[in-house]
Amino acid sequence: MSFRGFSRPNASSGMGVADHSKNAFMELQRKKVHRYVIFKVDEKKREILVDKTGGPAENYDDFTAALPENDCRYAVYDYDFVTSDNCQKSKIFFIAWSPSTARIRSKMLYATSKDRFRRELEGIHYEIQATDPTEMDLEVIKERAN
């Protein structure tokens, strides 16, 4: 019996990044088209794809509500704020959402693909690893941005 040509996905090899995922990030970063972009790993396609986007009028509560309660995701959030000297600023957060209720396989898949994906997104200011909503609360974001 020959297994030539048979390849089984290997969780440690990481995932490719779909062009539209990079483009969605660029639209958030440069054109301010999105407030946030949520990405998911498509294990069959072996790619990281856009799961959801939020328009510029959406807020942090809209963003956190868009994350699945029991599955992992990557996300970028464009946080606008005003500094103490009244200057308008924006910081982009990369959030690795890995809730404790997610399947072990999903957590492993996201953990092994994170660094490669994160490197594809140039211009991220801060990274947050969250296993429950309190670890990425708006207060945590505000604190990191200032």
Side-chain angles (χ1 to χ4, degrees), residues 23-25 27-28 31-37 53-56 78:
N23 292 340
F25 174 72
E27 289 173 348
L28 173 140
K31 298 178 184 170
K32 305 291 183 188
V33 173
H34 311 295
R35 170 67 53 205
Y36 62 84
V37 181
T53 58
D78 187 9

Side-chain angles (χ1 to χ4, degrees), residues 9 48-49 51 53 56 63 70 77 84 110 124 145:
I48 297 170
L49 308 171
D51 187 28
T53 58
F63 163 64
N70 299 312
Y77 184 83
S84 55
Y110 278 80
I124 301 274

Side-chain angles (χ1 to χ4, degrees), residues 5-144:
F6 176 77
S7 71
R8 204 168 143 227
N10 180 347
S12 66
S13 65
M15 295 284 158
V17 181
D19 285 341
H20 79 268
S21 293
K22 292 180 203 173
N23 292 340
F25 174 72
M26 297 290 228
E27 289 173 348
L28 173 140
Q29 181 188 35
R30 297 197 179 128
K31 298 178 184 170
K32 305 291 183 188
V33 173
H34 311 295
R35 170 67 53 205
Y36 62 84
V37 181
I38 298 173
F39 303 94
K40 72 176 179 181
V41 171
D42 184 321
E43 202 171 350
K44 286 184 178 71
K45 290 184 178 176
R46 301 201 38 75
E47 260 189 327
I48 297 170
L49 308 171
V50 172
D51 187 28
K52 294 178 185 162
T53 58
E58 293 195 44
N59 63 28
Y60 198 72
D61 289 337
D62 298 324
F63 163 64
T64 56
L67 289 168
E69 197 176 322
N70 299 312
D71 202 5
C72 303
R73 292 292 186 272
Y74 302 124
V76 287
Y77 184 83
D78 187 9
Y79 175 65
D80 291 330
F81 63 102
V82 178
T83 64
S84 55
D85 49 349
N86 215 24
C87 196
Q88 185 71 38
K89 293 262 185 179
S90 173
K91 297 285 182 190
I92 298 173
F93 283 80
F94 176 86
I95 298 167
W97 172 239
S98 184
S100 53
T101 54
R103 292 180 3 251
I104 298 284
R105 178 160 178 78
S106 181
K107 289 180 192 181
M108 287 176 57
L109 200 56
Y110 278 80
T112 57
S113 301
K114 182 182 73 108
D115 290 338
R116 179 176 174 202
F117 179 57
R118 167 73 175 73
R119 282 193 303 271
E120 294 280 340
L121 308 179
E122 291 181 34
I124 301 274
H125 298 105
Y126 301 103
E127 184 175 320
I128 292 178
Q129 183 86 37
T131 58
D132 79 68
T134 62
E135 295 174 337
M136 53 179 247
D137 189 72
L138 185 57
E139 290 307 311
V140 172
I141 300 290
K142 285 179 182 174
E143 207 172 280
R144 293 285 296 275

